[in-house]
Amino acid sequence: QRQMCIRDRPTLATATATRIGMIAASTIALSACQSIDQIPTERVASARMMLANGVPAGTAQLVANGDNLSLALAATGITPGEHGFHLHTTGECKRPDFKSAGGHLNPLDEGHGLDDDDGSHLGDLPNLLVPASGTVTTTVDLRGSRAQIEDYIFDDDGTAVMIHADPDDGISDPAGNAGPRIACGVLKRG
């Protein structure tokens, strides 16, 4: 009988990669619930999400269906509960605080929050509700035309996808009291 060596044990990276693969598969399976004309036909960009300690945390994909763009997220290792979810103005994710990503993507200088009477930042997205498993998938439609959104996202300094420790309250300027930044990824074309 063979003894198990330390090198035979699954590593944290292997376990994380397996979870990320399962999340991606479930995201694809969820798209089966859409009608055929709603399924994205093109991946425009993607981001590898990472936690503040550098551990991989999933992927975000910018996908298109005609003139419409959506952001699809599959994330793992996130504390259960409600979390702010945003696009940030700079495509940079320097650990551990991710402050290098700047504030919310707000090219039209709108007020903050989906509940704001005068509109909201392009980067304001609905809060994530993470279950006890710490794994979440969601797809969010972005507001505006494809050409306009792509111009904003792929400007000279790029755009980051961000998950915060706390929920966004939907109204407080400038960032909705969403707390520290806990996961970040930079959107890259292709």
Side-chain angles (χ1 to χ4, degrees):
Q1 188 174 20
R2 184 173 177 254
Q3 289 184 334
M4 184 173 189
C5 298
I6 290 175
R7 71 175 180 272
D8 293 334
R9 289 191 213 153
T11 64
L12 176 60
T14 302
T16 301
T18 300
R19 287 179 80 187
I20 291 169
M22 289 172 24
I23 292 168
S26 66
T27 301
I28 292 167
L30 287 174
S31 69
C33 298
Q34 299 175 324
S35 68
I36 198 73
D37 60 331
Q38 295 173 321
I39 295 174
T41 57
E42 179 184 355
R43 183 175 75 177
V44 176
S46 63
R48 291 182 182 165
M49 302 297 291
M50 72 173 152
L51 300 175
N53 62 4
V55 171
T59 61
Q61 295 188 50
L62 187 63
V63 293
N65 183 8
D67 194 42
N68 301 310
L69 286 176
S70 300
L71 184 67
L73 174 75
T76 190
I78 309 299
T79 305
E82 198 171 2
H83 296 272
F85 180 43
H86 305 113
L87 294 174
H88 279 242
T89 190
T90 304
E92 191 171 359
C93 294
K94 286 186 183 174
R95 296 182 291 120
D97 59 14
F98 302 128
K99 288 183 179 178
S100 59
H104 295 180
L105 183 61
N106 188 17
L108 301 176
D109 199 31
E110 297 284 353
H112 167 265
L114 296 176
D115 297 331
D116 186 88
D117 293 339
D118 299 326
S120 61
H121 302 161
L122 175 60
D124 289 336
L125 305 173
N127 285 332
L128 297 174
L129 186 55
V130 180
S133 66
T135 298
V136 64
T137 60
T138 191
T139 300
V140 178
D141 294 333
L142 301 179
R143 300 170 310 278
S145 73
R146 178 177 176 171
Q148 183 182 45
I149 294 169
E150 284 189 35
D151 283 347
Y152 298 145
I153 288 176
F154 301 113
D155 62 358
D156 290 339
D157 60 2
T159 297
V161 179
M162 192 72 65
I163 300 173
H164 291 262
D166 302 319
D168 186 315
D169 66 18
I171 51 173
S172 299
D173 267 323
N177 294 320
R181 301 163 185 203
I182 61 170
C184 185
V186 176
L187 283 169
K188 296 183 180 180
R189 284 192 187 270

